[in-house]
Amino acid sequence: DNAGKTSEVTRTLTDKKDWTEQGVTKLVLWIRGASANAAERMYVALGNAQVYHPDDAATQGGGWNEWVIDLTEFAGVDLANVPSITIGFGTRGAPVATGGTGTVHIDDIGLIR
């Protein structure tokens, strides 16, 4: 329930913080929503830089759906020293009174060339 808040989870990285090794250029994650969910903005943040999913209805998609994010979209992040990764729903830092509800599963977070 995102009413009046954002819902997010953060992982502080203590190792494997260099996301420039071996020509890595993209972050990939798989998401699975449900048709009963409210459409809700979804984001991934590296430190203080976030990227929003281009489709708010992604939270309603059945089956597993791939979200590929070009690392250049994370403006201002030192990709050789990524401090943390956060996955969330809503507008980061600006919650609204009418946030959505539902469940979204996230799996297979990885980096690719």
Side-chain angles (χ1 to χ4, degrees):
D1 181 359
N2 248 14
K5 60 186 177 287
T6 54
S7 299
E8 65 179 28
V9 61
T10 299
R11 170 91 186 228
T12 300
L13 303 176
T14 56
D15 59 0
K16 300 191 189 311
K17 296 168 60 169
D18 186 350
W19 289 18
T20 64
E21 293 179 348
Q22 299 180 21
V24 167
T25 60
K26 295 176 180 21
L27 172 67
V28 178
L29 59 148
W30 289 84
I31 58 175
R32 185 180 77 190
S35 60
N37 288 352
E40 185 74 58
R41 215 171 180 198
M42 181 178 178
Y43 59 87
V44 173
L46 302 181
N48 291 321
Q50 62 267 344
V51 172
Y52 289 91
H53 195 287
D55 183 4
D56 291 353
T59 56
Q60 299 173 310
W64 287 101
N65 298 287
E66 183 181 40
W67 182 15
V68 180
I69 306 167
D70 193 299
L71 292 176
T72 61
E73 292 186 51
F74 294 100
V77 174
D78 178 3
L79 294 172
N81 188 24
V82 177
S84 62
I85 181 171
T86 300
I87 300 170
F89 301 88
T91 300
R92 192 170 195 215
V96 296
T98 58
T101 61
T103 301
V104 175
H105 299 272
I106 301 164
D107 199 8
D108 291 339
I109 302 167
L111 298 168
I112 60 172
R113 289 185 235 173

